[in-house]
Every structure is written in C-alpha cells, then in structure tokens.
Amino acid sequence: MALSEFSLIDRYFKPLGVARDTLRGVELGIGDDCALLSLPPGQQLAVSIDTLVEGSHFLPQITATQLADRAFAACVSDLAAMGAEPRWLTLALTLADINEPWLAEFSDALARQLRAFDMLLVGGDTTKGPVLTLSLQVHGWVPEGQALRRDGARPGDYVFVTGTLGDAMAGLEHLQHHHDPDPYLLSRFFHPTPRISTGIALRPHASAAADISDGLLADIGHIIECSSTPEQPLGVVIQPQHLPLSEELRRHFSAKQAQQWALAGGEDFELCFTVPESQLEALQQTLTRHPIPCTQVGRVVAEAGCWLEQANGQRQRTDNLGFKHF
Ligand code: ADP
Ligand code: MG
C-alpha cells in the first residue's frame, strides 16, 4: 500500500470531524479507540446504519461524488423519517485498493454533505477487502417521546407524501437507456435530498412516518404492518390520481409508467406519513410556512389490505408491494 491506513485516515477523514465541539456534543472525535458523545438533556439518540456493496447496490462506474451523495442521503433519510436532527456520522470503508484521487473526491463530497446537514464525522473503520463496501452509520437526536415511529397509524388517518415520486427510477432508466438523459431526473437519482426539516416540522402532527426507499406501496405497507394489532387490523387505500409527479417525469414517460414508478419505484427518499383528522388543520397551518410540498394520497382503513381507488371511486386490490431485497 502506498499510503498507510493511519495517514489515509489523517488525510481524508480526520478533517471531516473535530477534536472537540461541545455545542454539537463531541467531547472526543476521531483518533481514540472510541468517540465520546453527549446528548443535550431531554433528547433521545436515533441511530441507523446502511451498507452499500459494489455490484449489489451500485455499479463500478459510479463516481465517488455520486456514491458519497447517495450513501449519505439514504442513511440521513432514516433520521428524517424519525423526525430526528442529524448530528454524527461513523463510516466503515472497505477498499479494494488505495486510489488517492478517488479518496480525495469521496472525502470532498462527504465533507459537503456533512456541512449541509451540520453533521460531524466522529469515527469509523478502514479495511482492505475484495470489493468497495461502505457502511454509514448516522446518529441524530430527537426530543424524548417525539420521534415519528412506524407504529402510530390509526383507521381514518390521512396518508401524505413529500415532494414528487418516481423520479429516481426514471433517472436510473434514463441513465441506462438514453444518450441524452434528463438532468433533473438524473440528479433525483444521484443526489436525493433527505427531508430533515420536514420530518422535524411533522413531529406534532404525524401519527407515523417512514422514508420511501423501497417504493410508496412497500413503505406505507411497513407503517400499516407496524401499526396493525390483532384487535385492529389496518389497510391502506391509495388514490393514484393524487400521486405527485414531476413535470419531467410526465414529459418523458407514459402516465402508466410514471404511476407505476410513483407507486413502487423506490429510491426517492421522500417521506410518507399518516395524519389523524384532528391534526389536519394544524398540519396545513405548519405547511403554509414549509418549503417542501406535501400531498395527500390516501387513507388508512380498518381492514387489512392495500387498494388503489380510481377517481370514480372504484377500488382495486393490489399486492404489488415494491422492491424486495431477497
Ligand atoms: P482501532 O484499531 O482502535 O479500531 P483504527 O485504527 O481502526 O482504531 O482507527 C483509528 C481512529 O480513526 C479511530 O478513532 C477511528 O474511529 C478512526 N477511523 C478509522 N477509519 C475511519 C474512517 N474511514 N472514517 C472516520 N474515522 C475513521
Ligand atoms: Mg478499527
């Protein structure tokens, strides 16, 4: 190896953290056996980890910036879905070889993302292995008892989504099959935006929330599953005509294809959430001051199942629950 493990960490990762930053809860940053972190009084720690393996989750031709942005968005989006505020990142990196230009670009991209979300890198692990593998663990905080969990939906709750759906899959399709891919759709695939401020704004209003990584049907399905009890089975009715679709998605693809991706495409990293009728007005009030559009796309019902409801009220049962990992 041209560069020792330690000088690699010193050069590319240590600068993304701090030795000490009491305002952000870092008593001891990168360099010791552990980081020492403090939560402000009244806050709970929210933790999530995501792993990306070359060949399984991304193709070798992805750039270091695209990889850093997607990996970062995917895991920070989990904090958004909990209504948590991002704070610390740990990074486990397995490298097949030491490519300094790649490491420099990756570290720059990660530094930009960390700055954008006021986060600090506080530790990690660097190893050599057969394929490039990245595990990003995010740590955030959320006031005790205010996290947006998946298990709080009730019959009659309204189902909402943030932003527009289906763009990431459309971007991937363009990347693979077009010589002149649409830049907006591509950026939605490569540089998704975790909806942190929306998650925080939703704390008082939403009964449940999840981020849309596997597709709306799959992820609202997780909320329904977690919120159902033997005494109170739940289901969901989605109105496809209300799905928020970007102008770019509608311009490049048929209505049928756009709807299919919006329902089951995944990778958009928008949020889906449920809101009790009693909170609708307060939510609307909050949203008038909020920059990210939220659209009502369905209702939670007191019968297990998932239905698509057409504009004429006709319901059709669906068992398409999006992407399955295994
Ligand atoms: P140990 O052998 O005790 O686990 P390491 O040699 O793996 O320590 O790491 C030394 C220090 O560098 C630790 O503080 C660790 O958290 C940090 N570190 C290692 N790799 C990374 C990385 N990729 N990103 C950020 N910090 C890292
Ligand atoms: Mg180690």
Side-chain angles (χ1 to χ4, degrees):
M1 277 191 202
L3 195 65
S4 81
E5 184 195 339
F6 299 107
S7 40
L8 184 156
I9 295 165
D10 276 354
R11 191 171 303 171
Y12 298 109
F13 298 111
K14 213 167 177 177
L16 311 192
V18 283
R20 186 155 186 264
D21 181 336
T22 40
L23 202 64
R24 291 179 188 75
V26 180
E27 292 302 322
L28 186 62
I30 293 174
D32 211 312
D33 293 309
C34 293
L36 292 175
L37 307 170
S38 306
L39 283 176
Q43 304 279 329
Q44 279 177 320
L45 183 64
V47 183
S48 175
I49 187 163
D50 267 308
T51 296
L52 296 178
V53 181
E54 182 176 289
S56 296
H57 304 104
F58 60 92
L59 297 172
Q61 54 267 36
I62 194 169
T63 69
T65 303
Q66 290 165 342
L67 182 59
D69 284 4
R70 267 178 56 80
F72 189 88
C75 64
V76 172
S77 173
D78 287 322
L79 292 176
M82 294 302 284
E85 194 177 326
R87 190 83 307 140
W88 309 301
L89 177 72
T90 43
L91 167 69
L93 196 57
T94 298
L95 301 166
D97 51 31
I98 292 183
N99 174 342
E100 288 214 55
W102 188 93
L103 278 166
E105 186 188 328
F106 182 80
S107 159
D108 279 352
L110 207 56
R112 263 197 308 280
Q113 292 286 0
L114 289 165
R115 264 198 308 277
F117 289 89
D118 198 21
M119 292 178 77
L120 295 165
L121 186 65
V122 295
D125 197 23
T126 308
T127 53
K128 195 167 159 54
V131 287
L132 177 59
T133 306
L134 242 66
S135 292
L136 277 75
Q137 184 168 36
V138 283
H139 311 70
W141 62 51
V142 56
E144 259 164 50
Q146 292 185 34
L148 303 174
R149 300 161 50 135
R150 292 181 174 185
D151 60 3
R154 296 291 174 264
D157 285 1
Y158 291 80
V159 175
F160 282 81
V161 298
T162 60
T164 58
L165 300 183
D167 296 328
M169 280 303 109
L172 180 61
E173 167 74 19
H174 259 203
L175 176 72
Q176 289 171 334
H177 302 292
H178 275 242
H179 14 261
D180 188 20
D182 183 276
Y184 175 77
L185 295 176
L186 275 193
S187 82
R188 292 276 290 164
F189 178 72
F190 282 120
H191 313 285
T193 310
R195 299 302 186 194
I196 291 294
S197 66
T198 315
I200 292 172
L202 291 175
R203 281 177 196 159
H205 309 301
S207 51
D211 66 327
I212 305 181
S213 51
D214 295 341
L216 172 61
L217 292 179
D219 291 306
I220 191 69
H222 295 143
I223 290 180
I224 293 302
E225 239 170 74
C226 291
S227 300
S228 290
T229 61
E231 302 76 46
Q232 181 59 80
L234 296 176
V236 65
V237 176
I238 299 290
Q239 295 159 321
Q241 71 278 13
H242 292 163
L243 292 169
L245 307 176
S246 70
E247 195 249 309
E248 288 81 359
L249 176 63
R250 283 182 285 122
R251 175 147 41 86
H252 289 290
F253 295 95
S254 71
K256 189 162 174 241
Q257 177 65 86
Q259 187 184 102
Q260 174 61 25
W261 278 329
L263 286 170
E267 308 270 332
D268 286 314
F269 300 109
E270 295 293 348
L271 301 180
C272 59
F273 56 98
T274 57
V275 179
E277 183 135 39
S278 61
Q279 277 296 325
L280 269 193
E281 237 182 84
L283 173 72
Q284 300 301 354
Q285 206 57 34
T286 296
L287 291 180
T288 54
R289 289 171 271 117
H290 191 74
I292 308 302
C294 296
T295 310
Q296 195 224 312
V297 298
R299 294 290 290 269
V300 177
V301 295
E303 184 188 346
C306 177
W307 293 266
L308 298 182
E309 186 180 75
Q310 302 308 327
N312 62 12
Q314 203 189 339
R315 283 185 185 184
Q316 178 200 351
R317 208 176 173 118
T318 174
D319 50 11
N320 179 353
L321 288 181
F323 178 78
K324 297 264 190 302
H325 289 278
F326 296 100

